[in-house]
Structure formats: C-alpha cells, structure tokens
Amino acid sequence: MQPVINILIADNQPLTQQGIITFLTDVNSIHIVGKCGPEDLEAYLSHVQPQLIIISHEPEPNSNLTAIKKVKEKYKSLCILVLSNNVHKHEIMQVIDQGINNYISKGCSRDEFLEAVFATANGEKYYCKKILNILFGPDPIADKAEAVRMLSLREKEIIELIATGMGNKDIAEKLFLSIHTVKTHRKNIIKKLGFTFKHASELILIIGYLNDFFI
C-alpha cells in the first residue's frame, strides 16, 4: 500500500485551489492538509507539516518568486511542485535556478498533474509537455537525447565547464586550446543539440533532464 502524501496548496485563486482539490479528491493515497495564498505560506508552515507543496508561480509583475525561494531555503526537505500559466522561458528558469525541478502548466491534463504529484513526492524531476516545449522547443525530446549521445568527449568536457560558469577564455586556458577552437566547439554543440542556451543553469537543466530520462 502506497504511503499517504500530505499536500498543502498555495494559490491565491479560490477557483484554482478548488480545482486542485477536485483533481485529488478520489486519490486514496493523497491527503490535503490545507490551502493558503503563497504570501501566507511561511506562517502556515509553522503549524502544518506537509510532505508536498503545490504552489502557483505568477508571471511578472506579480511574481511570487521570493516566497518560493524562502520556502525552498528554509524547508529543504519539502517537495515542491510549481503550477503556473507562465509561458516565458526566462521566468520558468528563474524558478528552476532555485533548485526546483518540478514545474507544470495550469493547462496540463489531469493525468499529467497526477504524474507530477507522485513524481515530486518521490523526489523525481517532472515537467509537463507544455513546459518541456517552452524549455526545449517543439522537436521530439527523444531526438534531442539522441543528439546528446552524438557529442564528442571534448564537446562533453566543454559542456561540463560551461555548466560551472566558465567563459570561453577560461575554458581555452584550462584545456590548452585557442579561444577560436572553443568557440567552434560551442557552435558544434549548438548545432548537434538543436537549441541555444544563454546561461549555465539552462545548460545544466537541458543536459541533466536528457541524461536522467533518456541515457
């Protein structure tokens, strides 16, 4: 028998709160311990101890990223599933930069929602199809996984260094290469993977996701 998952819902919209409860009502292994707004989350957690928090992430200018960050820092053992209507990649990445690897759209199906809940409670990463499309683009994710397998050892080595935040000059010095050679490798990486990346955290997400699920 699967252990009961105690869930706290943090969303400002009563309709969304009720929708989540309706989705979860007939699932025997789930217990809703309460509901509140994201801004009241810290106070609520002082007397309620859920295993999993389902929290909404509002797009700018009403972003509640600070509340999400505080909870993540203070309650490290809590599982956090972020629910959002956000369609902007940079705002999704702001949440992922906080170490949260479970993010779904409010427009996802009930099946995806339940998969996300159980995956999050089990400590697994989960992104719904819509969020994956925003992060990785419209191409089939399996094609990108195959592209990762095609990377050379040198390209993978450079990816690891990029992921630590190193720039072209530092990478060139560390690997005893010219800056031109490093730039060429980066172009080849982008060409093989079929997408670009602006920040180290974005590259970590992309490669980490593909490695976890397809390699």
Side-chain angles (χ1 to χ4, degrees):
M1 184 176 179
Q2 187 168 357
V4 173
I5 304 170
N6 292 316
I7 296 177
L8 174 63
I9 301 168
D11 192 289
N12 281 322
Q13 302 297 324
L15 193 60
T16 302
Q17 290 180 354
Q18 190 55 49
I20 294 172
I21 292 171
T22 300
F23 267 12
L24 300 175
T25 295
D26 61 349
V27 182
N28 294 329
S29 57
I30 288 177
H31 174 60
I32 307 296
V33 298
K35 55 185 179 179
C36 65
E39 69 279 359
D40 301 320
L41 193 51
E42 277 198 277
Y44 213 94
L45 287 172
S46 65
H47 61 275
V48 173
Q49 295 182 329
Q51 176 187 350
L52 168 64
I53 295 174
I54 299 176
I55 184 170
S56 64
H57 176 222
E58 301 300 328
E60 297 174 351
N62 301 313
S63 176
N64 58 335
L65 182 63
T66 300
I68 295 174
K69 183 177 180 179
K70 284 183 178 179
V71 170
K72 179 65 177 177
E73 290 176 348
K74 189 172 182 179
Y75 302 93
K76 299 185 185 300
S77 63
L78 273 178
C79 299
I80 300 176
L81 174 61
V82 175
L83 185 65
S84 179
N85 279 325
N86 212 326
V87 294
H88 299 292
K89 185 175 181 178
H90 76 279
E91 292 186 358
I92 297 172
M93 287 305 305
Q94 286 177 343
V95 174
I96 293 172
D97 282 344
Q98 305 307 316
I100 295 172
N101 295 306
N102 303 76
Y103 200 117
I104 62 174
S105 166
K106 288 185 177 181
C108 72
S109 67
R110 182 174 187 265
D111 287 344
E112 277 190 301
F113 178 69
L114 291 177
E115 283 180 5
V117 168
F118 286 110
T120 304
N122 289 329
E124 302 168 4
K125 298 178 183 178
Y126 193 94
Y127 306 95
C128 70
K129 292 177 182 177
K130 183 174 181 179
I131 298 301
L132 285 175
N133 187 61
I134 294 170
L135 293 173
F136 297 110
D139 296 334
I141 197 73
D143 290 351
K144 297 186 186 302
E146 183 60 33
V148 171
R149 297 188 186 98
M150 294 172 61
L151 294 171
S152 69
L153 291 176
R154 177 65 84 186
E155 288 165 347
K156 290 179 180 178
E157 188 175 17
I158 288 175
I159 284 174
E160 290 176 359
L161 295 177
I162 294 172
T164 67
M166 292 179 68
N168 290 341
K169 183 179 179 181
D170 292 332
I171 293 173
E173 291 177 355
K174 184 174 181 63
L175 299 180
F176 302 102
L177 301 172
S178 69
I179 293 179
H180 174 74
T181 299
V182 173
K183 288 181 178 179
T184 299
H185 279 304
R186 290 185 68 135
K187 288 179 182 178
N188 289 337
I189 290 168
I190 291 171
K191 184 177 180 180
K192 287 182 180 180
L193 296 182
F195 47 71
T196 60
F197 46 88
K198 294 182 180 179
H199 306 289
S201 59
E202 188 172 342
L203 182 62
I204 292 169
L205 167 71
I206 292 168
I207 300 302
Y209 185 88
L210 295 176
N211 281 337
D212 285 350
F213 286 85
F214 296 99
I215 296 178

